Amino acid sequence: RMREVDLGCGKALLIKESGEFHAVGHKCPHYGAPLVKGVLSKGRVRCPWHGACFNIGTGDIEDFPGLDSLPRFQVKIEKEKVYIRASKQALQTQRRTKMMAKCISLSNYNLSSTNVLIIGAGAAGLVCAETLRQEGFSDRIVMCTMDRHLPYDRPKLSKSMDSHPEQIALRPKEFFCTYDIEVLTEMQVAAVDVKSKIAVFKDGFKMEYNKLLIATGNTPKTLSCKSKEMENVFNIRTPEDANHVVKLATSKNVVIVGASFLGMEVAAYLAERAHSVSLVELEHVPFKKFFGERVGRAVMKMFENNRVKFYMQTEVSELREQEGKLKEVVLKSGKVLRADVCVVGVGAVPATGFLKQSGINIDSKGFIVVNKMMQTNIPGVFAAGDAVTFPLALRNNKKVNVPHWQMAHMHGRIAALNMLAHGTEISTVPYLWTAMFGKSIRYAGHGEGFDDVVIQGDLDELKFVAFYTK
């Protein structure tokens, strides 16, 4: 059983399992979900919103998303009464950052050499760096990113589009200084020489490494139609992109190309703000590949009830401009849509082009192939996140690509543990979530290529559970 208890200056989650009492923080450190509404099983409590998982004995985070663990409180039983002892600070913050090592004698290092180089500063890269420090690693760690910003909460770019970079930062600037995790922003790696263990940057700078993590994510696909460079056509890649779209879309006509997760979330976010939102998609139902036709139709109906107009089973043939700005989107069906801003969400490809001559094993689609320990075919080179295929335990170790925020966290952790020779294999269950018009869809597992969908509940009200079978 779990029970939220008020200790005067804050709450704790009191847990009784197998006759033992435990007390931990009552809110998930990720987005503040009440853990009392989560699931308690086998010594772990799982967050009801996004699936993060915490050990009830230690409070440690064991599955993601999120970076921090829960504070753990002392529990004493006397004369059939339960006493909880907790610090005011822990009750108020409701989070605990694990103890971390620092870098020993950083000033002695050559600027162009590091023990661990992490290419990419998303969830996978950051969790890798933090895990190394949590495990006592005290050598130099350098992360590099093409982005202008320190690591940030990328899912919010389409779910909360007017968020500023500092609002969605995963860690404050001081954190990186405190734990000696160096982040090189606006730095692009152009090539990797695995024999010499050197990364070559676009500006000519070279950096030697001992261990390498490649976590470069993906690059958005562009439209193949007739068009020029226009200032009001966007792929949502940065907080600035998202902010700019919101500003341009307010009380204007928006066209979104692609009923992907990004496209649908952007449509939902802009529906109340824009004058009109039109969504163009090649399939006849959104999310058909992920959720099946019936669920896809129910989601589509919810969007139509919120003034989103769908143009299905068609593509964009031309983007028409006037004085460098998009004015109209022409569809292959012949329909012409007025457009003050256009968001393109037609999928992505792995950002691995710079590795083509490296000798690192890349499959026909451009994904880096790794084993269960996130190792590539090159010793000392690991890869994680959206750019990899890895063996998924629940699908009999079939090599899959799972571009989820939760999975990127776990990849980073597994890679770090195996850089330290722990021999840890990945076994987590994929989990994703999306939020649109106040409804949240949560998806656990990997149902790619399902044969049947069994639905329990009310699909019209979007209060249901769907099981995907093969």
Side-chain angles (χ1 to χ4, degrees):
R1 291 179 61 193
M2 296 190 290
R3 185 173 160 190
E4 221 174 61
V5 291
D6 197 333
L7 302 180
C9 53
K11 293 179 181 178
L13 184 68
L14 181 63
I15 299 164
K16 185 182 182 185
E17 190 181 53
S18 305
E20 288 190 11
F21 286 91
H22 306 273
V24 292
H26 76 107
K27 280 184 181 178
C28 178
H30 179 227
Y31 283 176
L35 291 174
V36 72
K37 293 183 178 179
V39 175
L40 175 66
S41 174
K42 298 175 183 174
R44 302 164 104 201
V45 59
R46 192 172 283 277
C47 171
W49 289 358
H50 306 124
C53 205
F54 304 91
N55 184 300
I56 62 173
T58 63
D60 286 353
I61 187 167
E62 293 186 350
D63 201 352
F64 301 94
L67 298 169
D68 285 327
S69 295
L70 298 173
R72 177 178 163 268
F73 308 127
Q74 283 185 353
V75 180
K76 194 167 65 172
I77 314 294
E78 277 185 11
K79 297 178 182 175
E80 296 189 351
K81 284 189 177 179
V82 180
Y83 294 88
I84 300 172
R85 185 176 179 175
S87 77
K88 284 184 181 180
Q89 187 185 2
L91 286 169
Q92 283 159 8
T93 61
Q94 289 292 325
R95 62 178 64 237
R96 171 176 59 86
T97 301
K98 285 185 184 179
M99 293 282 289
M100 294 195 206
K102 295 184 182 184
C103 188
I104 296 169
S105 60
L106 193 58
S107 57
N108 292 344
Y109 287 99
N110 181 337
L111 273 176
S112 58
S113 131
T114 183
N115 196 301
V116 173
L117 177 61
I118 298 170
I119 307 175
L126 180 57
V127 172
C128 178
E130 289 199 21
T131 302
L132 288 168
R133 289 285 184 247
Q134 288 163 7
E135 294 294 320
F137 183 78
S138 58
D139 217 321
R140 191 178 183 201
I141 300 173
V142 174
M143 299 172 71
C144 61
T145 173
M146 289 166 60
D147 222 307
R148 288 171 52 188
H149 307 290
L150 292 171
Y152 56 86
D153 195 348
R154 190 169 285 277
K156 284 195 172 173
L157 295 189
S158 53
K159 294 178 173 75
S160 181
M161 294 178 69
D162 51 6
S163 299
H164 295 295
E166 57 277 7
Q167 293 173 311
I168 59 173
L170 293 174
R171 294 292 194 194
K173 190 176 181 181
E174 304 77 56
F175 176 91
F176 296 93
C177 298
T178 301
Y179 299 108
D180 299 322
I181 298 168
E182 298 170 65
V183 186
L184 307 178
T185 55
E186 297 182 271
M187 291 285 279
Q188 183 178 357
V189 174
V192 175
D193 182 341
V194 296
K195 286 179 183 168
S196 307
K197 292 192 170 184
I198 291 174
V200 182
F201 289 79
K202 199 174 181 180
D203 64 2
F205 178 66
K206 294 180 180 179
M207 182 168 274
E208 285 183 52
Y209 63 83
N210 181 31
K211 295 277 196 302
L212 176 67
L213 176 72
I214 303 163
T216 44
N218 54 37
T219 304
K221 289 180 183 175
T222 54
L223 293 176
S224 56
C225 66
K226 183 181 172 186
S227 69
K228 294 179 184 174
E229 193 76 19
M230 295 176 219
E231 59 185 65
N232 49 344
V233 178
F234 294 86
N235 295 112
I236 308 281
R237 291 296 293 168
T238 66
E240 288 78 13
D241 288 342
N243 296 169
H244 205 168
V245 167
V246 173
K247 193 175 175 183
L248 290 174
T250 304
S251 302
K252 299 288 186 179
N253 301 298
V254 181
V255 174
I256 296 164
V257 185
S260 57
F261 283 102
L262 181 138
M264 294 288 276
E265 287 172 359
V266 169
Y269 192 84
L270 296 178
E272 282 186 359
R273 294 163 175 81
H275 172 68
S276 71
V277 176
S278 303
L279 211 152
V280 180
E281 167 60 33
L282 193 56
E283 289 284 344
H284 66 285
V285 171
F287 297 141
K288 186 185 172 192
K289 180 185 167 189
F290 286 95
F291 300 147
E293 188 163 333
R294 287 173 65 197
V295 175
R297 283 199 184 283
V299 173
M300 188 173 171
K301 185 179 171 186
M302 175 178 70
F303 273 71
E304 288 172 332
N305 291 340
N306 284 278
R307 299 190 315 112
V308 175
K309 175 83 173 162
F310 286 92
Y311 296 88
M312 306 302 279
Q313 293 180 283
T314 188
E315 292 177 89
V316 174
S317 65
E318 185 185 354
L319 299 179
R320 286 183 187 158
E321 55 98 26
Q322 188 179 329
E323 296 174 2
K325 289 185 180 180
L326 175 72
K327 281 294 174 189
E328 293 175 331
V329 175
V330 183
L331 306 184
K332 284 190 177 172
S333 61
K335 181 76 178 171
V336 179
L337 306 175
R338 284 182 62 193
D340 300 296
V341 60
C342 176
V343 176
V344 179
V346 291
V349 292
T352 56
F354 69 104
L355 299 173
K356 276 182 181 169
Q357 309 300 320
S358 66
I360 294 168
N361 190 8
I362 292 172
D363 72 11
S364 59
K365 292 180 179 176
F367 294 108
I368 304 166
V369 180
V370 296
N371 63 15
K372 284 186 174 186
M373 295 188 282
M374 310 316 294
Q375 294 167 327
T376 69
N377 59 312
I378 306 292
V381 178
F382 298 77
D386 294 4
V388 309
T389 60
F390 68 101
L392 185 64
L394 67 84
R395 292 297 295 270
N396 297 319
N397 296 322
K398 179 187 174 186
K399 286 275 174 83
V400 297
N401 170 250
V402 181
H404 302 346
W405 191 238
Q406 165 255 4
M407 190 58 79
H409 285 68
M410 186 57 83
H411 282 183
R413 178 163 176 77
I414 299 294
L417 293 174
N418 291 310
M419 284 181 180
L420 301 173
H422 283 219
T424 308
E425 295 187 347
I426 191 161
S427 61
T428 192
V429 174
Y431 188 95
L432 72 85
W433 77 94
T434 184
M436 301 164 293
F437 300 114
K439 293 284 185 183
S440 182
I441 298 176
R442 300 164 193 143
Y443 183 104
H446 188 72
E448 194 174 79
F450 53 85
D451 295 324
D452 195 18
V453 186
V454 179
I455 293 169
Q456 295 178 359
D458 190 336
L459 196 53
D460 291 333
E461 290 291 316
L462 289 175
K463 292 179 179 176
F464 69 95
V465 180
F467 300 92
Y468 298 86
T469 60
K470 194 163 175 61

